[in-house]
Amino acid sequence: MGHSDFTGEFNYSIDSKNRVNIPSRYRKTMNEENVCEVVISKGFDSNHIDVYPLPKWIVLRDKITASMQLVNRVHRNFIRQFTQNASHCTLDSQGRIMLTPKLMEMAGIKTNGNAVIIGMIDFMEIWDPEELKKHEENTPLTDSDFEKLEQLPLI
Amino acid sequence: MGHSDFTGEFNYSIDSKNRVNIPSRYRKTMNEENVCEVVISKGFDSNHIDVYPLPKWIVLRDKITASMQLVNRVHRNFIRQFTQNASHCTLDSQGRIMLTPKLMEMAGIKTNGNAVIIGMIDFMEIWDPEELKKHEENTPLTDSDFEKLEQLPLI
DNA sequence: TATAATTACCCATAATTACCCACAAATATG
DNA sequence: CATATTTGTGGGTAATTATGGGTAATTATA
């Protein structure tokens, strides 16, 4: 299985049926691996929606269940938050998915509104444009962040 | 895979469809390695566009993703900012790529205007001519910059 | 079980992009 | 120096993409 390479930022509309388009380039990648199902979820932040192609979701799910202990309360809470709002979606013939009201409310995404899709290499994020702007203003990467990164054997 | 050797400075026009030419010498190099796809990105500065031939991008991407953990909020923010403004382009049969409005705005590059392409050994930069001039006037390398460079096992 | 609500599937269309051809300017070649 | 080739630039058209909406099938609800 080759790496996905979801990059970029895309603006789409949410229609009256709460459908969003998935960028056609991402669809092509998924098609090549015969993936037409994704899992949308609350993910680790609470201000946007995560979209995992099914194979990626399965890897994530298995990693989590393998390393979590049910006797640990924090672990239980984490699993609950991670799966509670996760739902499977099939792309329609136009390449769209339907969002759930609960995830939309959590992310501030509105029916007949707009949404921004951001590529995160092997999964995607769906943001309300306003929330994204707010997030960018509040948490810019600082020079000290970059200094820390310089210490990694990266570039 | 041999090293690329992108050098020099080239002046091109931006047409009404936001297309820029890629220097034919660079194209030849990429052709020899069967590369017809590049990733354009905001890179680490915000006043010009970076252009990575696909193989170079993949190396960069893998270095970054390998050391990142999704449960880490700072890491997520970094990946987001890194990929958000990165987009894949295929060279057309004339050897041009189409720039995105967002990257153009960020770099001050205008439709029907001009752009300067600078070779950076194994990637390229696209500058607005005015921005480039400003940058050259404002930030020449100082002696203390060179002293810092001396500490790296570089040259 | 009957009815209402929801969802899956299909068709239509405007906007955008990819692909192609044309030509002028610049460069290389004999 | 004349001619051929490559390179940069512009634009038309077919194909793709994004988006909206209708209707049958499915699911939920009384």
PDB file of all heavy atoms in Angstrom, chain B residues 12 17 19 21 27-28 94 96, chain D residues 6-13:
ATOM      1  N   TYR B  12       9.446  35.111 -16.151  1.00  0.00           N
ATOM      2  CA  TYR B  12       8.335  34.621 -16.957  1.00  0.00           C
ATOM      3  C   TYR B  12       7.082  35.432 -16.686  1.00  0.00           C
ATOM      4  O   TYR B  12       6.978  36.128 -15.678  1.00  0.00           O
ATOM      5  CB  TYR B  12       8.071  33.136 -16.679  1.00  0.00           C
ATOM      6  CG  TYR B  12       9.209  32.248 -17.087  1.00  0.00           C
ATOM      7  CD1 TYR B  12       9.893  31.497 -16.154  1.00  0.00           C
ATOM      8  CD2 TYR B  12       9.596  32.173 -18.421  1.00  0.00           C
ATOM      9  CE1 TYR B  12      10.947  30.677 -16.531  1.00  0.00           C
ATOM     10  CE2 TYR B  12      10.652  31.358 -18.803  1.00  0.00           C
ATOM     11  CZ  TYR B  12      11.324  30.617 -17.864  1.00  0.00           C
ATOM     12  OH  TYR B  12      12.367  29.823 -18.248  1.00  0.00           O
ATOM     13  N   LYS B  17      -4.718  32.587 -17.099  1.00  0.00           N
ATOM     14  CA  LYS B  17      -5.156  31.392 -16.379  1.00  0.00           C
ATOM     15  C   LYS B  17      -4.224  31.045 -15.225  1.00  0.00           C
ATOM     16  O   LYS B  17      -4.224  29.915 -14.738  1.00  0.00           O
ATOM     17  CB  LYS B  17      -5.233  30.202 -17.351  1.00  0.00           C
ATOM     18  CG  LYS B  17      -6.276  30.351 -18.441  1.00  0.00           C
ATOM     19  CD  LYS B  17      -6.216  29.167 -19.398  1.00  0.00           C
ATOM     20  CE  LYS B  17      -7.220  29.303 -20.531  1.00  0.00           C
ATOM     21  NZ  LYS B  17      -7.093  28.184 -21.492  1.00  0.00           N
ATOM     22  N   ARG B  19      -1.014  30.592 -15.242  1.00  0.00           N
ATOM     23  CA  ARG B  19       0.024  29.616 -15.570  1.00  0.00           C
ATOM     24  C   ARG B  19       1.389  30.282 -15.636  1.00  0.00           C
ATOM     25  O   ARG B  19       1.520  31.412 -16.106  1.00  0.00           O
ATOM     26  CB  ARG B  19      -0.293  28.963 -16.924  1.00  0.00           C
ATOM     27  CG  ARG B  19      -1.553  28.118 -16.908  1.00  0.00           C
ATOM     28  CD  ARG B  19      -1.885  27.562 -18.282  1.00  0.00           C
ATOM     29  NE  ARG B  19      -2.167  28.616 -19.265  1.00  0.00           N
ATOM     30  CZ  ARG B  19      -2.679  28.365 -20.475  1.00  0.00           C
ATOM     31  NH1 ARG B  19      -2.918  27.112 -20.843  1.00  0.00           N
ATOM     32  NH2 ARG B  19      -2.924  29.359 -21.299  1.00  0.00           N
ATOM     33  N   ASN B  21       5.548  29.355 -16.763  1.00  0.00           N
ATOM     34  CA  ASN B  21       6.450  28.422 -17.419  1.00  0.00           C
ATOM     35  C   ASN B  21       7.504  27.929 -16.427  1.00  0.00           C
ATOM     36  O   ASN B  21       7.900  28.655 -15.523  1.00  0.00           O
ATOM     37  CB  ASN B  21       7.129  29.126 -18.592  1.00  0.00           C
ATOM     38  CG  ASN B  21       7.875  28.162 -19.464  1.00  0.00           C
ATOM     39  OD1 ASN B  21       7.311  27.179 -19.933  1.00  0.00           O
ATOM     40  ND2 ASN B  21       9.141  28.429 -19.677  1.00  0.00           N
ATOM     41  N   ARG B  27      13.109  21.385 -16.756  1.00  0.00           N
ATOM     42  CA  ARG B  27      12.208  20.349 -17.273  1.00  0.00           C
ATOM     43  C   ARG B  27      12.994  19.159 -17.799  1.00  0.00           C
ATOM     44  O   ARG B  27      12.626  18.008 -17.584  1.00  0.00           O
ATOM     45  CB  ARG B  27      11.353  20.929 -18.399  1.00  0.00           C
ATOM     46  CG  ARG B  27      10.149  21.705 -17.923  1.00  0.00           C
ATOM     47  CD  ARG B  27       9.327  22.132 -19.114  1.00  0.00           C
ATOM     48  NE  ARG B  27       9.678  23.485 -19.566  1.00  0.00           N
ATOM     49  CZ  ARG B  27       9.494  23.936 -20.797  1.00  0.00           C
ATOM     50  NH1 ARG B  27       8.994  23.127 -21.720  1.00  0.00           N
ATOM     51  NH2 ARG B  27       9.812  25.171 -21.120  1.00  0.00           N
ATOM     52  N   LYS B  28      14.087  19.474 -18.488  1.00  0.00           N
ATOM     53  CA  LYS B  28      14.907  18.383 -19.032  1.00  0.00           C
ATOM     54  C   LYS B  28      15.409  17.489 -17.915  1.00  0.00           C
ATOM     55  O   LYS B  28      15.313  16.264 -17.987  1.00  0.00           O
ATOM     56  CB  LYS B  28      16.094  18.956 -19.825  1.00  0.00           C
ATOM     57  CG  LYS B  28      15.825  19.007 -21.314  1.00  0.00           C
ATOM     58  CD  LYS B  28      16.986  19.622 -22.074  1.00  0.00           C
ATOM     59  CE  LYS B  28      16.485  20.199 -23.390  1.00  0.00           C
ATOM     60  NZ  LYS B  28      17.237  21.388 -23.822  1.00  0.00           N
ATOM     61  N   GLN B  94       3.028  22.100 -22.531  1.00  0.00           N
ATOM     62  CA  GLN B  94       3.908  23.223 -22.816  1.00  0.00           C
ATOM     63  C   GLN B  94       4.933  23.432 -21.706  1.00  0.00           C
ATOM     64  O   GLN B  94       5.762  24.344 -21.779  1.00  0.00           O
ATOM     65  CB  GLN B  94       3.083  24.498 -22.966  1.00  0.00           C
ATOM     66  CG  GLN B  94       2.715  24.897 -24.374  1.00  0.00           C
ATOM     67  CD  GLN B  94       2.134  23.757 -25.179  1.00  0.00           C
ATOM     68  OE1 GLN B  94       2.788  23.274 -26.067  1.00  0.00           O
ATOM     69  NE2 GLN B  94       0.916  23.328 -24.864  1.00  0.00           N
ATOM     70  N   ARG B  96       4.144  24.112 -18.404  1.00  0.00           N
ATOM     71  CA  ARG B  96       3.710  25.131 -17.434  1.00  0.00           C
ATOM     72  C   ARG B  96       2.980  24.496 -16.265  1.00  0.00           C
ATOM     73  O   ARG B  96       2.470  23.385 -16.345  1.00  0.00           O
ATOM     74  CB  ARG B  96       2.756  26.124 -18.103  1.00  0.00           C
ATOM     75  CG  ARG B  96       3.398  26.946 -19.173  1.00  0.00           C
ATOM     76  CD  ARG B  96       2.348  27.686 -19.978  1.00  0.00           C
ATOM     77  NE  ARG B  96       1.549  26.774 -20.784  1.00  0.00           N
ATOM     78  CZ  ARG B  96       0.704  27.179 -21.749  1.00  0.00           C
ATOM     79  NH1 ARG B  96       0.554  28.466 -21.981  1.00  0.00           N
ATOM     80  NH2 ARG B  96       0.025  26.301 -22.439  1.00  0.00           N
TER      81      ARG B  96
ATOM     82  P    DT D   6      14.384  20.433 -31.546  1.00  0.00           P
ATOM     83  OP1  DT D   6      15.183  19.284 -31.085  1.00  0.00           O
ATOM     84  OP2  DT D   6      13.031  20.243 -32.104  1.00  0.00           O
ATOM     85  O5'  DT D   6      14.293  21.475 -30.352  1.00  0.00           O
ATOM     86  C5'  DT D   6      15.478  22.136 -29.910  1.00  0.00           C
ATOM     87  C4'  DT D   6      15.117  23.416 -29.202  1.00  0.00           C
ATOM     88  O4'  DT D   6      14.457  24.307 -30.130  1.00  0.00           O
ATOM     89  C3'  DT D   6      14.144  23.242 -28.024  1.00  0.00           C
ATOM     90  O3'  DT D   6      14.794  23.730 -26.874  1.00  0.00           O
ATOM     91  C2'  DT D   6      12.917  24.059 -28.424  1.00  0.00           C
ATOM     92  C1'  DT D   6      13.521  25.064 -29.399  1.00  0.00           C
ATOM     93  N1   DT D   6      12.572  25.689 -30.375  1.00  0.00           N
ATOM     94  C2   DT D   6      12.375  27.053 -30.311  1.00  0.00           C
ATOM     95  O2   DT D   6      12.915  27.774 -29.486  1.00  0.00           O
ATOM     96  N3   DT D   6      11.515  27.551 -31.270  1.00  0.00           N
ATOM     97  C4   DT D   6      10.857  26.826 -32.250  1.00  0.00           C
ATOM     98  O4   DT D   6      10.112  27.389 -33.050  1.00  0.00           O
ATOM     99  C5   DT D   6      11.113  25.409 -32.261  1.00  0.00           C
ATOM    100  C7   DT D   6      10.450  24.542 -33.290  1.00  0.00           C
ATOM    101  C6   DT D   6      11.955  24.907 -31.324  1.00  0.00           C
ATOM    102  P    DT D   7      14.187  23.604 -25.414  1.00  0.00           P
ATOM    103  OP1  DT D   7      15.296  23.554 -24.448  1.00  0.00           O
ATOM    104  OP2  DT D   7      13.167  22.528 -25.474  1.00  0.00           O
ATOM    105  O5'  DT D   7      13.442  24.992 -25.224  1.00  0.00           O
ATOM    106  C5'  DT D   7      14.184  26.199 -25.338  1.00  0.00           C
ATOM    107  C4'  DT D   7      13.258  27.390 -25.224  1.00  0.00           C
ATOM    108  O4'  DT D   7      12.472  27.503 -26.436  1.00  0.00           O
ATOM    109  C3'  DT D   7      12.241  27.296 -24.074  1.00  0.00           C
ATOM    110  O3'  DT D   7      12.405  28.432 -23.261  1.00  0.00           O
ATOM    111  C2'  DT D   7      10.877  27.245 -24.772  1.00  0.00           C
ATOM    112  C1'  DT D   7      11.176  27.933 -26.099  1.00  0.00           C
ATOM    113  N1   DT D   7      10.291  27.556 -27.241  1.00  0.00           N
ATOM    114  C2   DT D   7       9.676  28.554 -27.952  1.00  0.00           C
ATOM    115  O2   DT D   7       9.796  29.745 -27.697  1.00  0.00           O
ATOM    116  N3   DT D   7       8.887  28.122 -28.995  1.00  0.00           N
ATOM    117  C4   DT D   7       8.667  26.803 -29.386  1.00  0.00           C
ATOM    118  O4   DT D   7       7.945  26.540 -30.342  1.00  0.00           O
ATOM    119  C5   DT D   7       9.364  25.810 -28.599  1.00  0.00           C
ATOM    120  C7   DT D   7       9.200  24.361 -28.940  1.00  0.00           C
ATOM    121  C6   DT D   7      10.127  26.227 -27.571  1.00  0.00           C
ATOM    122  P    DG D   8      11.608  28.621 -21.879  1.00  0.00           P
ATOM    123  OP1  DG D   8      12.511  29.285 -20.926  1.00  0.00           O
ATOM    124  OP2  DG D   8      10.969  27.336 -21.545  1.00  0.00           O
ATOM    125  O5'  DG D   8      10.477  29.659 -22.280  1.00  0.00           O
ATOM    126  C5'  DG D   8      10.874  30.958 -22.695  1.00  0.00           C
ATOM    127  C4'  DG D   8       9.674  31.719 -23.215  1.00  0.00           C
ATOM    128  O4'  DG D   8       9.111  31.031 -24.360  1.00  0.00           O
ATOM    129  C3'  DG D   8       8.528  31.894 -22.212  1.00  0.00           C
ATOM    130  O3'  DG D   8       8.174  33.265 -22.220  1.00  0.00           O
ATOM    131  C2'  DG D   8       7.412  30.996 -22.756  1.00  0.00           C
ATOM    132  C1'  DG D   8       7.703  30.991 -24.242  1.00  0.00           C
ATOM    133  N9   DG D   8       7.266  29.808 -24.986  1.00  0.00           N
ATOM    134  C8   DG D   8       7.537  28.495 -24.702  1.00  0.00           C
ATOM    135  N7   DG D   8       7.030  27.661 -25.578  1.00  0.00           N
ATOM    136  C5   DG D   8       6.395  28.479 -26.499  1.00  0.00           C
ATOM    137  C6   DG D   8       5.664  28.151 -27.673  1.00  0.00           C
ATOM    138  O6   DG D   8       5.439  27.037 -28.150  1.00  0.00           O
ATOM    139  N1   DG D   8       5.185  29.297 -28.323  1.00  0.00           N
ATOM    140  C2   DG D   8       5.388  30.579 -27.897  1.00  0.00           C
ATOM    141  N2   DG D   8       4.862  31.545 -28.637  1.00  0.00           N
ATOM    142  N3   DG D   8       6.060  30.903 -26.801  1.00  0.00           N
ATOM    143  C4   DG D   8       6.533  29.806 -26.151  1.00  0.00           C
ATOM    144  P    DT D   9       7.043  33.825 -21.192  1.00  0.00           P
ATOM    145  OP1  DT D   9       7.362  35.254 -20.955  1.00  0.00           O
ATOM    146  OP2  DT D   9       6.916  32.888 -20.079  1.00  0.00           O
ATOM    147  O5'  DT D   9       5.726  33.784 -22.069  1.00  0.00           O
ATOM    148  C5'  DT D   9       5.639  34.626 -23.224  1.00  0.00           C
ATOM    149  C4'  DT D   9       4.334  34.384 -23.945  1.00  0.00           C
ATOM    150  O4'  DT D   9       4.334  33.098 -24.582  1.00  0.00           O
ATOM    151  C3'  DT D   9       3.085  34.406 -23.060  1.00  0.00           C
ATOM    152  O3'  DT D   9       2.358  35.581 -23.382  1.00  0.00           O
ATOM    153  C2'  DT D   9       2.315  33.132 -23.429  1.00  0.00           C
ATOM    154  C1'  DT D   9       3.008  32.694 -24.709  1.00  0.00           C
ATOM    155  N1   DT D   9       3.024  31.219 -24.935  1.00  0.00           N
ATOM    156  C2   DT D   9       2.429  30.734 -26.071  1.00  0.00           C
ATOM    157  O2   DT D   9       1.887  31.438 -26.895  1.00  0.00           O
ATOM    158  N3   DT D   9       2.497  29.364 -26.198  1.00  0.00           N
ATOM    159  C4   DT D   9       3.090  28.473 -25.330  1.00  0.00           C
ATOM    160  O4   DT D   9       3.087  27.272 -25.554  1.00  0.00           O
ATOM    161  C5   DT D   9       3.697  29.058 -24.157  1.00  0.00           C
ATOM    162  C7   DT D   9       4.367  28.188 -23.154  1.00  0.00           C
ATOM    163  C6   DT D   9       3.631  30.391 -24.026  1.00  0.00           C
ATOM    164  P    DG D  10       0.975  35.914 -22.600  1.00  0.00           P
ATOM    165  OP1  DG D  10       0.898  37.386 -22.534  1.00  0.00           O
ATOM    166  OP2  DG D  10       0.895  35.099 -21.385  1.00  0.00           O
ATOM    167  O5'  DG D  10      -0.153  35.399 -23.613  1.00  0.00           O
ATOM    168  C5'  DG D  10      -0.130  35.818 -24.972  1.00  0.00           C
ATOM    169  C4'  DG D  10      -1.186  35.066 -25.752  1.00  0.00           C
ATOM    170  O4'  DG D  10      -0.744  33.706 -25.961  1.00  0.00           O
ATOM    171  C3'  DG D  10      -2.543  34.969 -25.055  1.00  0.00           C
ATOM    172  O3'  DG D  10      -3.508  35.650 -25.838  1.00  0.00           O
ATOM    173  C2'  DG D  10      -2.835  33.474 -24.952  1.00  0.00           C
ATOM    174  C1'  DG D  10      -1.875  32.866 -25.949  1.00  0.00           C
ATOM    175  N9   DG D  10      -1.427  31.529 -25.574  1.00  0.00           N
ATOM    176  C8   DG D  10      -0.744  31.175 -24.439  1.00  0.00           C
ATOM    177  N7   DG D  10      -0.476  29.894 -24.376  1.00  0.00           N
ATOM    178  C5   DG D  10      -1.030  29.372 -25.537  1.00  0.00           C
ATOM    179  C6   DG D  10      -1.066  28.041 -26.011  1.00  0.00           C
ATOM    180  O6   DG D  10      -0.595  27.031 -25.482  1.00  0.00           O
ATOM    181  N1   DG D  10      -1.734  27.947 -27.232  1.00  0.00           N
ATOM    182  C2   DG D  10      -2.301  28.999 -27.914  1.00  0.00           C
ATOM    183  N2   DG D  10      -2.900  28.725 -29.065  1.00  0.00           N
ATOM    184  N3   DG D  10      -2.271  30.256 -27.475  1.00  0.00           N
ATOM    185  C4   DG D  10      -1.628  30.361 -26.287  1.00  0.00           C
ATOM    186  P    DG D  11      -5.029  35.842 -25.332  1.00  0.00           P
ATOM    187  OP1  DG D  11      -5.539  37.058 -25.969  1.00  0.00           O
ATOM    188  OP2  DG D  11      -5.055  35.687 -23.855  1.00  0.00           O
ATOM    189  O5'  DG D  11      -5.774  34.586 -25.968  1.00  0.00           O
ATOM    190  C5'  DG D  11      -5.680  34.345 -27.362  1.00  0.00           C
ATOM    191  C4'  DG D  11      -6.310  33.013 -27.701  1.00  0.00           C
ATOM    192  O4'  DG D  11      -5.462  31.940 -27.212  1.00  0.00           O
ATOM    193  C3'  DG D  11      -7.687  32.768 -27.062  1.00  0.00           C
ATOM    194  O3'  DG D  11      -8.542  32.225 -28.037  1.00  0.00           O
ATOM    195  C2'  DG D  11      -7.399  31.763 -25.965  1.00  0.00           C
ATOM    196  C1'  DG D  11      -6.287  30.967 -26.623  1.00  0.00           C
ATOM    197  N9   DG D  11      -5.508  30.161 -25.707  1.00  0.00           N
ATOM    198  C8   DG D  11      -4.929  30.551 -24.514  1.00  0.00           C
ATOM    199  N7   DG D  11      -4.295  29.585 -23.909  1.00  0.00           N
ATOM    200  C5   DG D  11      -4.480  28.486 -24.743  1.00  0.00           C
ATOM    201  C6   DG D  11      -4.027  27.153 -24.617  1.00  0.00           C
ATOM    202  O6   DG D  11      -3.362  26.658 -23.706  1.00  0.00           O
ATOM    203  N1   DG D  11      -4.440  26.366 -25.687  1.00  0.00           N
ATOM    204  C2   DG D  11      -5.192  26.804 -26.763  1.00  0.00           C
ATOM    205  N2   DG D  11      -5.502  25.909 -27.700  1.00  0.00           N
ATOM    206  N3   DG D  11      -5.617  28.056 -26.888  1.00  0.00           N
ATOM    207  C4   DG D  11      -5.224  28.829 -25.854  1.00  0.00           C
ATOM    208  P    DG D  12     -10.141  32.356 -27.855  1.00  0.00           P
ATOM    209  OP1  DG D  12     -10.568  33.476 -28.710  1.00  0.00           O
ATOM    210  OP2  DG D  12     -10.484  32.337 -26.422  1.00  0.00           O
ATOM    211  O5'  DG D  12     -10.671  30.995 -28.507  1.00  0.00           O
ATOM    212  C5'  DG D  12     -10.123  30.529 -29.737  1.00  0.00           C
ATOM    213  C4'  DG D  12     -10.354  29.033 -29.865  1.00  0.00           C
ATOM    214  O4'  DG D  12      -9.438  28.329 -28.988  1.00  0.00           O
ATOM    215  C3'  DG D  12     -11.763  28.560 -29.477  1.00  0.00           C
ATOM    216  O3'  DG D  12     -12.189  27.568 -30.413  1.00  0.00           O
ATOM    217  C2'  DG D  12     -11.584  27.997 -28.077  1.00  0.00           C
ATOM    218  C1'  DG D  12     -10.158  27.467 -28.124  1.00  0.00           C
ATOM    219  N9   DG D  12      -9.455  27.471 -26.840  1.00  0.00           N
ATOM    220  C8   DG D  12      -9.292  28.534 -25.989  1.00  0.00           C
ATOM    221  N7   DG D  12      -8.595  28.245 -24.912  1.00  0.00           N
ATOM    222  C5   DG D  12      -8.300  26.894 -25.068  1.00  0.00           C
ATOM    223  C6   DG D  12      -7.575  26.024 -24.221  1.00  0.00           C
ATOM    224  O6   DG D  12      -7.032  26.270 -23.142  1.00  0.00           O
ATOM    225  N1   DG D  12      -7.519  24.733 -24.741  1.00  0.00           N
ATOM    226  C2   DG D  12      -8.080  24.338 -25.933  1.00  0.00           C
ATOM    227  N2   DG D  12      -7.923  23.049 -26.270  1.00  0.00           N
ATOM    228  N3   DG D  12      -8.757  25.146 -26.734  1.00  0.00           N
ATOM    229  C4   DG D  12      -8.825  26.402 -26.242  1.00  0.00           C
ATOM    230  P    DT D  13     -13.678  26.941 -30.322  1.00  0.00           P
ATOM    231  OP1  DT D  13     -14.084  26.645 -31.705  1.00  0.00           O
ATOM    232  OP2  DT D  13     -14.505  27.817 -29.452  1.00  0.00           O
ATOM    233  O5'  DT D  13     -13.468  25.545 -29.564  1.00  0.00           O
ATOM    234  C5'  DT D  13     -12.571  24.583 -30.115  1.00  0.00           C
ATOM    235  C4'  DT D  13     -12.541  23.355 -29.208  1.00  0.00           C
ATOM    236  O4'  DT D  13     -11.775  23.637 -28.013  1.00  0.00           O
ATOM    237  C3'  DT D  13     -13.921  22.895 -28.721  1.00  0.00           C
ATOM    238  O3'  DT D  13     -13.929  21.471 -28.736  1.00  0.00           O
ATOM    239  C2'  DT D  13     -13.977  23.434 -27.304  1.00  0.00           C
ATOM    240  C1'  DT D  13     -12.523  23.223 -26.892  1.00  0.00           C
ATOM    241  N1   DT D  13     -12.068  24.003 -25.721  1.00  0.00           N
ATOM    242  C2   DT D  13     -11.231  23.391 -24.810  1.00  0.00           C
ATOM    243  O2   DT D  13     -10.859  22.238 -24.933  1.00  0.00           O
ATOM    244  N3   DT D  13     -10.846  24.182 -23.748  1.00  0.00           N
ATOM    245  C4   DT D  13     -11.216  25.502 -23.515  1.00  0.00           C
ATOM    246  O4   DT D  13     -10.814  26.097 -22.539  1.00  0.00           O
ATOM    247  C5   DT D  13     -12.098  26.084 -24.518  1.00  0.00           C
ATOM    248  C7   DT D  13     -12.559  27.497 -24.350  1.00  0.00           C
ATOM    249  C6   DT D  13     -12.472  25.316 -25.545  1.00  0.00           C
TER     250       DT D  13
END
